Amino acid sequence: MPTNDAKAAYDARVKRVMTAAANKEPDRVPVMPGMTPFAIDYYGHTMAQLTYDARIGVETACKYLEEFKPDAAMGFYSNAGKGPMLELMNPKACAWPGAPDKRVPDNSYHQFIEFPVLEEDEMPYFERDYTGWLFRKGLPKVTGLMDPFANWNTSALGVSYDVSMLAAQLSSPEMRNVIETLWKIDGMNKDIQKIHAEGMLKMEEMGFPSYGAGIGGAVPFDMYSDFFRGTLDSMMDMYEHRDLIERFIDERIERMIDNIRTMAKANAHLKESKWGHLILHKGMDGFMNEEQYVNLYWKHLRMMINEITAAGFKCYVYTEGPYTTRLDHLKEVDTNMVVYHFEEVDLALAKKKLGDMACIAGGFPVWIVEHGTKQQVIDEVKRVLDICAPGGGYIFEGGYSFGEAPIENVKAMFETVLEYGKYR
C-alpha cells in the first residue's frame, strides 16, 4: 500500500497532467520525458541485458522515478525481457540487442528490417484469400518459426465436420514443433506481463501514475506500409495500386473501430485518468501529398481519435517525423480531448493553431541534451516553454526518447522545467 505522502504525490501528479491535457494551466508544466535508453545506461545496464531480463526494466524505472521525480511512470521498453522469445520466433524482419548474431550493438534499440512482405505478384492472392496468403506467404517471410506453413494446404480449412485433413497436417513433426514452440512463447509472454504489471503497481505505490488505458491501434495505412509493402513500395502503390490500398484500409478500419470499442468498454472504469494511445508512422510531411493524406490517412486517423474520445478517454497521438503541414487537420477533433505529441514541428505555429483546442506535448530536441552544453540545454528548455507554456495545455517531453547523455545536461533539463515552467 502507498504511504500517505506517496498517495498525495500521486494525486498531485495526476491533477497536474490531466489539467494540462484538458488544455488548462496546472501549477507548473508537467515533465514526462521518455528516458530509455538513457536510464538503462545511467544505472549500469545495457539494452541487451534489458531485452533478456524484464526485471531490469522495473529496477531501472524505479531508480529513475525516485531520483528525477517526473510526472509519470515511464513504464518499460517494449521488448524488455523478450530476448528468449525472439530467439524462439527467429524473426526475419527484426534484429535486437543481445541476439546471438550480434547485428545490433548492446546499447541500441531493436531494429526493424524492412522489405515487401506482400510482393506485387501476390496481390491477387492477398485479396482473394487473406488467411491463406498470411499463413503460406506472409508469416513464413517474417519469422522462421512459421516456415512450415509455407507448404500448408489451406483447402483443409474448409467448413466440414471432418477435420482429419487438418489434423494430419498439424500433426506432422514440423507442425508439432511450431505448436509446442507457440505454447512456450505464450507462457513466456504471460510471465513477462506479470512482471510488468507488478512493476507498474510498485511505481504507482511510489506515487507515480501511468496514463495508458490499453486502448489504441494502428492507422490502416501504417499497417499496409509498415507490415505488408514497406516504405518505398507503399509510396509507389499510392499511384500504381491505389485501388488495393483503398480496399484494404477501408476494410481494416472497421476492425480497428470494433477493437477500440471493445477495449474502451473493458477499461471504462479508467477513463478519469487514463488515455488511449495512437502512434503514427507514415503521415508525416513529405511522405504523402495533401489529397493522399486526407483520403488515405487522416480520414481513418480521425475516426479512431473520435472513437476513443467519444468513449470518454483522452487520446494521446504520437506523431513521428515532421508534422507542420498537417496542423489544420489535427484541429478536426473534439475540443480538449486530445494530446498531440510532436517529434518535429514548428512549435509556434502548432501553439497558434492548436492552442485553444488541444494539448501539445514534446517538440523538445533531444540531441541538445545528448550532445550540447549545459547552457544550451537550459536555453532550449526556456525557448520551448516560452512558446508552449502560456495558457497551459503543454506537457514537456522530448521529441523522442533520450539516449546516452551527460548527467549534468539531464539534471539541467529537469531543473529548468521545474523552475521556469511554474505558472504561479
Side-chain angles (χ1 to χ4, degrees):
M1 294 292 293
T3 65
N4 290 337
D5 288 346
K7 180 64 168 61
Y10 181 97
D11 291 342
R13 291 183 175 107
V14 169
K15 181 180 180 180
R16 181 177 302 124
V17 172
M18 297 305 289
T19 299
N23 210 30
K24 299 176 182 178
E25 284 188 1
D27 58 333
R28 63 162 172 79
V29 171
V31 54
M32 296 167 46
M35 298 304 290
T36 302
F38 163 78
I40 298 298
D41 173 72
Y42 179 59
Y43 293 110
H45 300 288
T46 66
M47 294 295 284
Q49 291 172 325
L50 174 65
T51 304
Y52 280 80
D53 187 352
R55 290 179 177 81
I56 288 176
V58 176
E59 172 192 328
T60 300
C62 290
K63 288 181 178 179
Y64 160 76
L65 294 173
E66 187 174 21
E67 180 171 356
F68 293 95
K69 295 181 172 54
D71 288 306
M74 304 314 298
F76 303 86
Y77 170 55
S78 61
N79 270 359
K82 292 186 177 180
M85 290 171 53
L86 291 169
E87 290 188 20
L88 291 177
M89 295 176 192
N90 187 19
K92 303 173 184 178
C94 176
W96 65 94
D101 59 22
K102 302 296 182 183
R103 285 186 292 174
V104 175
D106 281 355
N107 254 343
S108 173
Y109 279 107
H110 66 284
Q111 301 294 316
F112 288 107
I113 304 165
E114 189 176 87
F115 56 87
V117 177
L118 171 62
E119 298 181 46
E120 196 160 3
D121 62 1
E122 297 171 359
M123 287 180 175
Y125 183 23
F126 176 81
E127 289 204 274
R128 182 181 70 252
D129 181 6
Y130 173 76
T131 300
W133 175 88
L134 180 66
F135 278 92
R136 296 189 64 200
K137 300 290 186 179
L139 290 174
K141 290 179 184 177
V142 297
T143 170
L145 174 61
M146 302 299 284
D147 280 345
F149 278 96
N151 298 316
W152 196 19
N153 178 11
T154 54
S155 64
L157 297 175
V159 179
S160 171
Y161 73 88
D162 186 355
V163 293
S164 57
M165 287 178 60
L166 177 61
Q169 290 193 79
L170 294 179
S171 297
S172 70
E174 295 83 4
M175 287 296 191
R176 284 177 181 266
N177 179 66
V178 171
I179 294 169
E180 290 172 359
T181 303
L182 289 173
W183 289 344
K184 291 179 183 177
I185 291 170
D186 181 59
M188 295 163 75
N189 193 47
K190 287 176 179 175
D191 289 342
I192 292 170
Q193 289 175 349
K194 183 179 179 181
I195 293 171
H196 287 186
E198 291 172 350
M200 294 309 299
L201 178 60
K202 181 178 180 180
M203 294 175 214
E204 290 188 359
E205 291 176 346
M206 292 171 61
F208 298 94
S210 62
Y211 298 96
I215 301 171
V219 176
F221 185 90
D222 282 343
M223 297 183 66
Y224 180 86
S225 180
D226 293 350
F227 303 115
F228 293 107
R229 290 290 285 157
T231 302
L232 295 179
D233 288 87
S234 62
M235 291 179 73
M236 294 187 291
D237 287 351
M238 286 190 286
Y239 298 94
E240 298 177 357
H241 297 291
R242 175 145 177 172
D243 55 341
L244 171 64
I245 293 176
E246 290 178 343
R247 286 192 294 271
F248 175 84
I249 62 179
D250 287 343
E251 184 273 337
R252 190 63 53 165
I253 190 62
E254 295 182 13
R255 300 188 190 187
M256 283 293 169
I257 295 299
D258 285 344
N259 193 43
I260 288 171
R261 288 173 179 165
T262 298
M263 291 187 290
K265 185 176 181 180
N267 293 282
H269 60 292
L270 300 174
K271 67 177 64 176
E272 295 302 320
S273 62
K274 302 293 185 180
W275 305 343
H277 283 72
L278 300 175
I279 299 177
L280 315 184
H281 293 163
K282 300 292 171 63
M284 77 285 284
D285 300 344
F287 185 84
M288 298 173 164
N289 63 33
E290 174 70 6
E291 184 277 329
Q292 290 165 341
Y293 179 77
V294 170
N295 292 299
L296 300 180
Y297 203 92
W298 173 246
K299 177 175 71 172
H300 295 138
L301 171 57
R302 183 185 179 190
M303 290 172 65
M304 296 172 73
I305 293 173
N306 288 342
E307 195 66 42
I308 291 171
T309 59
F313 292 87
K314 301 286 185 186
C315 186
Y316 180 94
V317 182
Y318 190 108
T319 68
E320 292 191 353
Y323 231 78
T324 300
T325 67
R326 311 305 190 196
L327 294 174
D328 284 331
H329 296 294
L330 299 185
K331 296 189 295 183
E332 301 168 3
V333 295
D334 292 338
T335 301
N336 298 333
M337 291 299 290
V338 182
V339 177
Y340 287 118
H341 171 101
F342 294 105
E343 280 192 351
E344 182 182 342
V345 75
D346 181 330
L347 280 175
L349 189 60
K351 184 69 174 180
K352 178 180 178 180
K353 289 182 177 290
L354 302 175
D356 62 348
M357 55 78 56
C359 176
I360 295 172
F364 178 78
V366 170
W367 66 266
I368 289 181
V369 178
E370 296 172 340
H371 305 292
T373 65
K374 178 180 177 180
Q375 189 58 49
Q376 286 176 316
V377 172
I378 293 170
D379 292 344
E380 184 62 17
V381 170
K382 289 182 176 181
R383 186 190 75 84
V384 170
L385 294 180
D386 282 342
I387 295 170
C388 297
Y394 177 65
I395 296 172
F396 184 90
E397 298 176 334
Y400 48 90
S401 206
F402 285 79
E404 297 177 27
I407 185 59
E408 60 268 21
N409 286 3
V410 175
K411 289 182 176 180
M413 178 189 71
F414 272 95
E415 290 167 359
T416 306
V417 177
L418 295 178
E419 181 60 33
Y420 196 73
K422 290 180 180 177
Y423 286 102
R424 47 186 175 273

